[in-house]
Amino acid sequence: MYAQALNTVTEVSKDDPAKLAAFQARIDAEEKIEPNDWMPEGYRKTLVRQISQHAHSEIVGMLPEGNWITRAPSLKRKAALLAKVQDEGGHGLYLYSAAETLGVSREELVDALHSGRAKYSSIFNYPTPSWADMGMIGWLVDGAAIMNQIPLCRTSFGPYARAMIRICKEESFHQRQGYEIVMTLARGTPAQKKMAQDSLNRWWWPALMMFGPSDSASQHSDQNMKWKIKRFSNDALRQKFIDATVPQGHFLGLTFPDPDLKFNEATGHWEHGEIDWAEFNRVVKGEGPCNRERIKARIKAHDEGAWVREAALAHAEKRAARKAAARIAAE
Amino acid sequence: MTEKNMPLWEVFIRSRTGLSHRHAGSLHAPDAEMALQNARDVYTRRGEGLSIWVVPSSAITASDPTDKDVMFEPTASKIYRHPTFYEVPDEVGHM
């Protein structure tokens, strides 16, 4: 899954111009920047923000699907969903670790999420009232995430790029299991097909919003493109996603909730209607259907897990003390 | 006079930009800085690397190879973690 482009304007750099030029030359030569290398403060800040938002998205992204693990319709679906949610937890950990190479602590990052200072992908603030939503998340949400994440495998910061390569390898299962769920419903009883269609109607527009504001409104793209943190614009990625996804939906006999959606023979692209950016901004600012619930659930999980962390530390201390005692006894 | 044993260091090399460091081998050196210099001479005489890490061998905790079944076998039955477990018709294209 993917932390969308939510960042605010990159700060004006106060760095040494000679160092900046050398840095840009390395970027232009497609060298990767590693944690111990010199980097502009703005580059570091942008990456901490983007990688941690991405990590938060993975972790919060476990919640909408976690909602259905105990109610999956078969053991097969349950095992697959559990494995998928487990992968998302793992992806969050890869990404937090990549962010930590830039000199921030895990505790700071988690605190930023819990206090509401940090953002995460708007998509996870939508509810999952039906089983079809599990299919739709895999097919659309992970599908959109893959579109975003494939170019991030070549992002200029080494630890982020390497984390993305690992994540992309694991993500393909997510999308396929989602599509298989949707296909099973679409080929099922009329009620099942309706369940799939209702779910598609609810998820289509929020999935398109995952790519972030349209290029004309995106505040930070230029500098991020120059630094090769980002390699394609929000609109270019959104178009790629639409072109790949619309035929997949039509193949299942499903329709998309956009009366303006039409294929342009000349360009070879699907054209879509206007995205409701007012809704996007509302959800990003915390007024989506589930924002409060999601953060509450994360804080609760963190607080209720405190005893596990304490017990692990106590266990480690006990083992260290035993080892020390054994050494003294042997001397 | 008894000579003090020099500690052992594990050497990791990044061969190309963007790749992670990979284990290359080990060597003896009195401290980290000399280990780095030795690693340069021992392991990168033919341009094998862009960056070297040296780590005291004693700092590495490794899994026991005889535990490999206990550690890794359980994933063998979890075939649903792989994309090929799911059927997606060819007409739909690559996913």
Side-chain angles (χ1 to χ4, degrees):
Chain A
M1 309 229 172
Y2 173 67
Q4 64 210 143
L6 305 169
N7 308 338
T8 43
V9 190
T10 307
E11 285 155 49
V12 179
S13 176
K14 293 175 219 79
D15 294 302
D16 174 1
K19 278 185 174 170
L20 270 178
F23 178 82
Q24 190 61 48
R26 292 191 62 196
I27 299 270
D28 294 343
E30 296 292 335
E31 277 182 39
K32 292 281 183 254
I33 308 304
E34 296 294 340
N36 293 334
D37 299 350
W38 185 87
M39 61 185 83
E41 242 351 88
Y43 181 82
R44 182 185 300 276
K45 275 189 183 160
T46 302
L47 278 170
V48 168
R49 201 163 44 207
Q50 179 169 333
I51 302 171
S52 63
Q53 283 178 2
H54 197 161
H56 299 327
S57 300
E58 299 283 354
I59 298 298
V60 176
M62 296 166 82
L63 297 170
E65 290 175 295
N67 186 27
W68 279 92
I69 290 173
T70 57
R71 297 180 289 160
S74 67
L75 185 59
K76 175 186 158 182
R77 295 294 184 209
K78 182 175 181 169
L81 189 59
L82 196 54
K84 181 177 188 291
V85 171
Q86 192 181 20
D87 272 358
E88 279 148 18
H91 295 175
L93 298 181
Y94 305 157
L95 288 161
Y96 280 130
S97 300
E100 284 169 75
T101 66
L102 291 159
V104 279
S105 71
R106 181 77 56 98
E107 289 76 11
E108 286 171 69
L109 297 177
V110 169
D111 185 59
L113 174 68
H114 292 177
S115 67
R117 292 195 307 283
K119 289 170 182 165
Y120 55 88
S121 183
S122 57
I123 194 80
F124 303 116
N125 292 314
Y126 290 87
T128 49
S130 92
W131 168 251
D133 297 337
M134 297 305 98
M136 220 50 73
I137 287 180
W139 172 36
L140 298 182
V141 175
D142 289 280
I146 290 168
M147 283 297 170
N148 266 315
Q149 289 177 161
I150 286 172
L152 283 175
C153 293
R154 296 192 298 123
T155 195
S156 59
F157 185 56
Y160 192 25
R162 290 190 289 275
M164 289 320 308
I165 290 168
R166 195 172 271 273
I167 289 171
C168 282
K169 274 190 197 150
E170 298 177 352
E171 204 78 61
S172 163
F173 131 55
H174 297 183
Q175 195 189 13
R176 289 173 66 98
Q177 70 91 35
Y179 192 76
E180 200 191 73
I181 290 171
V182 177
M183 186 166 68
T184 305
L185 290 171
R187 291 177 175 175
T189 64
Q192 286 170 325
K193 186 167 180 184
K194 184 175 178 297
M195 195 198 279
Q197 183 63 58
D198 287 346
S199 178
L200 177 55
N201 293 348
R202 280 183 286 112
W203 288 94
W204 177 245
W205 289 108
L208 296 189
M209 292 175 198
M210 284 177 71
F211 295 90
S214 110
D215 294 347
S216 53
S218 186
Q219 301 165 297
H220 49 84
S221 267
D222 289 351
Q223 183 61 69
N224 287 357
M225 292 273 220
K226 204 174 146 216
W227 278 335
K228 298 192 180 171
I229 292 173
K230 201 177 160 77
R231 288 185 178 259
F232 295 97
S233 76
N234 295 352
D235 286 341
L237 290 168
R238 185 166 17 243
Q239 187 62 52
K240 256 181 105 161
F241 171 72
I242 294 171
D243 289 342
T245 308
V246 169
Q248 292 168 352
H250 289 163
F251 177 78
L252 299 178
L254 298 173
T255 59
F256 290 84
D258 177 0
D260 297 323
L261 187 71
K262 60 173 185 294
F263 190 68
N264 183 327
E265 296 278 354
T267 61
H269 293 298
W270 285 90
E271 291 172 356
H272 62 89
E274 187 60 32
I275 292 170
D276 183 356
W277 294 115
E279 173 181 328
F280 172 76
N281 288 326
R282 257 195 325 274
V283 178
V284 166
K285 292 201 172 88
E287 300 302 320
C290 301
N291 294 58
R292 286 178 192 79
E293 189 185 327
R294 298 290 184 240
I295 292 300
K296 216 172 118 190
R298 279 315 314 155
I299 293 172
K300 182 167 178 270
H302 187 76
D303 291 349
E304 289 180 355
W307 73 270
V308 180
R309 296 188 292 275
E310 282 163 21
L313 281 172
H315 183 62
E317 278 164 19
K318 195 167 79 182
R319 270 202 300 207
R322 269 199 202 136
K323 238 183 180 170
R327 202 165 48 232
I328 291 162
E331 275 167 7
Chain B
M1 190 180 105
T2 46
E3 255 190 70
K4 229 176 125 188
N5 285 344
M6 284 193 199
L8 189 64
W9 302 79
E10 300 300 322
V11 178
F12 298 83
I13 295 175
R14 186 197 312 285
S15 57
R16 276 196 294 127
T17 183
L19 299 185
S20 39
H21 288 76
R22 281 187 68 175
H23 188 237
S26 50
L27 49 75
H28 287 276
D31 66 15
E33 202 172 318
M34 281 188 261
L36 209 54
Q37 285 164 358
N38 290 0
R40 172 199 176 267
D41 293 341
V42 177
Y43 289 102
T44 64
R45 286 193 307 280
R46 289 172 186 80
E48 288 90 339
L50 302 172
S51 159
I52 303 174
W53 285 350
V54 289
V55 179
S57 304
S58 59
I60 289 177
T61 306
S63 65
D64 184 338
T66 57
D67 287 344
K68 77 173 168 33
D69 288 347
V70 184
M71 297 273 276
F72 308 114
E73 190 281 329
T75 61
S77 61
K78 296 180 171 56
I79 47 172
Y80 48 82
R81 286 180 179 168
H82 297 275
T84 45
F85 181 74
Y86 304 91
E87 276 181 46
V88 172
D90 292 341
E91 297 94 307
V92 173
H94 179 72
M95 199 177 271

